[in-house]
Amino acid sequence: QARSFALGNFALYNAPPGTWQRMAAYYYLSPEDAAATQAAVLRFTHQDRFKPLSGYQVAVSHFHTHFSEQVADAGSIDFQPPWVPTFRALGINIAMMSDFHSDGHPKDPGPVRLTEQHTYFEAGRRHSDRDFLIMPGEEPDAHFGGHYTMVFPRPVYWTHVRQPGQPLVENHPQYGKVYHTGSPADELEMLRLEGGLVWQAHPRTKGSTSFPDAIRETEYFRSEHYLGGAWQSLPVDLSESRICEARCFSTLDDMNNWGAPKYLIAEGDTYAKYPDDETYPQLLVNYVKLDRLPGPEQDWSPILRAMRAGNFFLTSGEVLIRSSAVEGSVLTAEVEWTFPLEFVELVWGDGQKVDRKLIPATDREPFGTHRFRIPFEAAGKKWVRFAAWDSAGNGAFTQPVHLK
């Protein structure tokens, strides 16, 4: 697999000609001993852990850990892959995984595929509990165009293949309801019937280079089940003031100018994870507004409903948006941060172009909180969103709010 990926060149860092590249760095000077100084430094990243926030659950998406294969090879769903304790230690509550992308047999019409899915579902249940939920998602590249992440409010058996004369839905003697999809219409109908969500993985790069632009007029993209696109720091351009500024935020703003509300979802898009990996600095997460986490045997619809409503914010971990609201022509946001803030901003679109109000925040002390109140002229604006960025390049942002 590594050799096959080496045939493509998807730069992790990219310094376009003529840009000024800036790598933020801090030196922490202290009269204390090494242990005390290290503890003080770790405060800036909440001890390399995503801080619990009352009323929210921390969710990640898009990881190819070959979960089903590992469990099958071990011969028992009791086998605990190393990414499970890694995610738990980071403070993650919801793991939306993506098996069957370069592993397993996603193109199999049924017998092999369904067995692998069953192992996937059972292993997810086995390693979930009241504080940590594994949602067995997938990153297909089947019928919708490009690569996309798909999740459901429960385990759903389905194939990427629909044989001639085969029904969309059949009752399998062992697994119950099984979907066979052979077209975008089939996948959309499955999403409708099961209440699932889908979004473009790594939009405008890699296997989604021309997407979602190429599908913007399709019925499935315009559907409420197509949530938007993913946020991931790829490629890293150190001339940008925001994480994935050119690729991700241009996609977000364009999608909302095109039509109905669409959102960004933080993704990892990486593979094996071990407890001694430096995972926290590379990871972006979603804080989903939920009072409680559904259990592995329960309905996960509350998670998907919160995401569909845009009730979640995205962050690198050091900046948190405790609450935000648009009331008339004023946006309010309660923000906390560790590193010194650089600026906050209100971004809006009118259906054609994008503009912003940028407010410097360099007068704010580190480890602070503040309730920002930003008035704006609502007339002529279709949607608005809020973001806060610190001087080390970290940040958080809300989803676009469409104005009535």
Side-chain angles (χ1 to χ4, degrees), residues 7-340:
L7 298 176
N9 179 16
F10 305 112
L12 299 180
Y13 277 80
N14 184 36
T19 59
W20 181 261
Q21 298 289 308
R22 172 182 174 271
M23 179 176 286
Y26 279 96
Y27 292 90
Y28 190 92
L29 305 180
S30 172
E32 304 295 330
D33 61 18
T37 302
Q38 183 184 46
V41 169
L42 281 169
R43 285 185 63 209
F44 287 94
T45 59
H46 304 300
Q47 290 73 48
D48 284 2
R49 179 181 170 88
F50 295 100
K51 180 180 177 179
L53 197 59
S54 178
Y56 289 87
Q57 304 292 331
V58 180
V60 295
S61 74
H62 195 161
F63 287 91
H64 304 298
T65 60
H66 298 201
F67 187 23
S68 180
E69 277 189 352
Q70 285 189 317
V71 170
D73 289 347
S76 171
I77 62 171
D78 291 334
F79 170 74
Q80 179 178 265
W83 59 267
V84 172
T86 301
F87 281 6
R88 286 178 180 272
L90 289 171
I92 292 167
N93 307 115
I94 303 168
M96 302 179 187
M97 308 305 289
S98 291
D99 272 28
F100 314 127
H101 188 62
S102 55
D103 57 306
H105 301 81
K107 305 301 183 185
D108 178 78
V112 177
R113 157 84 168 173
L114 297 178
T115 300
E116 291 174 339
Q117 279 192 309
H118 183 70
T119 301
Y120 191 31
F121 299 157
E122 291 301 306
R125 290 190 186 97
R126 171 65 181 83
H127 296 285
S128 300
D129 56 33
R130 67 174 69 179
D131 300 313
F132 181 69
L133 175 65
I134 298 172
M135 293 181 65
E138 190 168 344
E139 184 198 1
D141 54 357
H143 305 296
F144 277 174
H147 294 188
Y148 45 98
T149 297
M150 190 178 289
V151 294
F152 294 97
R154 66 192 65 82
V156 172
Y157 290 93
W158 70 288
T159 73
H160 300 185
V161 180
R162 185 177 180 184
Q163 307 282 16
Q166 190 174 36
L168 172 65
V169 186
E170 69 173 2
N171 187 45
H172 191 277
Q174 182 176 356
Y175 304 119
K177 185 190 294 184
V178 173
Y179 291 87
H180 299 286
T181 64
S183 67
D186 288 349
E187 285 196 355
L188 179 57
E189 183 65 10
M190 177 178 64
L191 287 166
R192 286 171 173 161
L193 292 172
E194 295 295 333
L197 291 176
V198 60
W199 57 88
Q200 198 82 59
H202 43 75
R204 295 178 174 173
T205 190
K206 299 173 67 181
S208 299
T209 296
S210 301
F211 298 91
D213 306 69
I215 60 171
R216 57 179 286 190
E217 301 297 341
T218 62
E219 180 184 3
Y220 55 89
F221 180 78
R222 291 177 175 272
S223 161
E224 64 177 359
H225 296 279
Y226 209 109
L227 195 57
W231 185 49
Q232 174 197 18
S233 188
L234 171 72
V236 178
D237 180 350
L238 296 180
S239 70
E240 296 181 344
S241 302
R242 305 159 184 84
I243 298 172
C244 197
E245 180 177 319
R247 180 177 66 84
C248 298
F249 286 113
S250 68
T251 303
L252 174 65
D253 297 341
D254 285 348
M255 288 190 299
N256 283 277
N257 271 345
W258 294 341
K262 300 292 183 185
Y263 308 129
L264 287 187
I265 303 89
E267 68 177 357
D269 195 9
T270 54
Y271 293 76
K273 284 283 175 288
Y274 297 89
D276 56 347
D277 287 343
E278 194 175 35
T279 302
Y280 172 85
Q282 320 300 332
L283 191 55
L284 305 172
V285 301
N286 311 273
Y287 275 71
V288 183
K289 196 169 186 179
L290 284 172
D291 289 330
R292 57 180 295 274
L293 181 69
E297 301 289 346
Q298 296 176 318
D299 182 10
W300 306 330
S301 293
I303 300 172
L304 276 64
R305 283 198 298 267
M307 295 176 67
R308 178 60 273 175
N311 290 332
F312 63 112
F313 71 88
L314 282 62
T315 179
S316 58
E318 297 80 8
V319 182
L320 299 174
I321 303 174
R322 290 184 166 273
S323 64
S324 66
V326 175
E327 301 172 353
S329 58
V330 176
L331 184 143
T332 59
E334 185 180 354
V335 182
E336 72 168 81
W337 60 89
T338 57
F339 288 95

